[in-house]
């Protein structure tokens, strides 16, 4: 599935609310957050890489190419997306890139399939995931042909909001259902920002489809 779609896991956040460091390497149920994300995301795409700055050796156990931002300074996830689009265009034969955040261990297993289907109905658009009426701009399918416009947006205009570029480029929304966990409903894009979030994820791990 998705062999003609490149994938990038965005793991370049500063993790201030977790005390700094690499949030994606935090342990969850005996594996790292990044392991959980990769186990769900990797089967959905072809070539897969990791977006992160700094010493790539700290991700040696992940066995993925690590892409440092092509834009200087900490420009946020949009810089990681630009880097990945340029990587996909230069080093793969893929015409689209799927993105996923590295701190979201319950992401949908049909994420890419559904994004591809929606984008096919509006060629050239960005397909962006939604749930519970909320956008998740770091979970999207991007045409590699958008890379030049994105570079101008990020470098020349110095605008860093992912959603702002998606709105300008043109998009289609893809709604994902909430997950069942006992009597509760959980957002499949639930992300780990605080120690309390990590503790909640530990509790959810046993009740959500592995």
């Amino acid at each position: 599935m998705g062999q003609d779609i490149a994938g990038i896991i965005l793991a370049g956040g500063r993790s201030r609310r977790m005390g700094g460091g690499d949030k994606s390497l935090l342990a969850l149920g005996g594996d790292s957050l990044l392991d959980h994300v990769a186990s769900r995301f990797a089967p959905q795409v072809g070539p897969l890489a990791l977006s992160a700055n700094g010493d790539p050796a700290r991700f040696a156990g992940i066995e993925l190419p690590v892409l440092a931002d092509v834009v200087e300074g900490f420009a946020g996830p949009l810089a990681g997306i630009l880097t990945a689009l340029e990587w996909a265009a230069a080093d793969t034969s893929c015409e689209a890139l799927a993105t996923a955040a590295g701190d979201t261990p319950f992401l949908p297993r049909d994420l890419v399939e559904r994004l591809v289907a929606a984008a096919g109905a509006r060629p050239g658009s960005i397909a962006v995931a939604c749930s519970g009426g909320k956008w998740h701009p770091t979970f999207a399918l991007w045409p590699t042909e958008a890379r030049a416009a994105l570079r101008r947006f990020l470098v020349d205009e110095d605008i860093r909001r992912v959603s702002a570029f998606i709105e300008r480029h043109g998009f289609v929304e893809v709604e994902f259902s909430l997950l069942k966990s006992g009597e509760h409903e959980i957002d499949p894009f639930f992300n780990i920002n605080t120690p309390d979030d990590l503790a909640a994820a530990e509790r959810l791990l046993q009740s959500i489809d592995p």
Side-chain angles (χ1 to χ4, degrees):
M1 181 190 300
Q3 293 303 304
D4 56 346
I5 305 295
I8 191 74
I9 299 174
L10 302 168
R14 290 179 172 178
S15 309
R16 292 189 181 96
R17 284 181 283 176
M18 294 295 292
D22 291 301
K23 179 170 54 173
S24 63
L25 295 180
L26 291 173
L28 174 65
D31 294 307
S32 71
L33 282 177
L34 190 54
D35 287 329
H36 286 279
V37 172
S39 71
R40 286 175 171 263
F41 192 50
Q44 303 185 48
V45 298
L48 178 62
L50 179 67
S51 168
N53 295 308
D55 184 1
R58 67 194 192 279
F59 296 107
I62 306 299
E63 297 184 351
L64 291 175
V66 180
L67 308 181
D69 290 349
V70 293
V71 176
E72 293 185 0
F74 186 81
L78 205 54
I81 294 168
L82 172 62
T83 301
L85 285 170
E86 294 185 348
W87 161 75
D91 295 350
T92 80
S93 59
C94 301
E95 296 184 354
L97 171 80
T99 57
D103 60 356
T104 311
F106 308 121
L107 68 93
R109 296 187 184 279
D110 61 350
L111 173 71
V112 176
E113 178 182 7
R114 294 193 55 206
L115 293 177
V116 168
R122 291 189 60 183
S125 65
I126 297 170
V128 59
C130 309
S131 60
K134 179 182 177 182
W135 264 33
H136 302 287
T138 54
F139 289 86
L141 185 75
W142 303 68
T144 56
E145 64 185 16
R147 63 192 184 278
L150 178 53
R151 177 172 277 278
R152 289 192 298 271
F153 185 85
L154 180 60
V155 176
D156 298 340
E157 299 182 50
D158 194 28
I159 305 174
R160 300 184 177 188
R161 287 179 58 240
V162 179
S163 59
F165 181 80
I166 292 174
E167 289 170 344
R168 178 185 293 187
H169 181 83
F171 64 91
V172 57
E173 297 180 353
V174 184
E175 183 72 24
F176 288 84
S177 300
L178 300 180
L179 301 173
K180 294 290 186 180
S181 176
E183 298 179 353
H184 303 286
E185 290 185 325
I186 306 299
D187 193 323
F189 302 100
F190 169 70
N191 62 314
I192 312 299
N193 284 319
T194 68
D196 286 345
D197 290 339
L198 186 60
E202 286 281 3
R203 295 191 296 270
L204 291 168
L205 198 58
Q206 302 306 315
S207 58
I208 290 179
D209 176 38

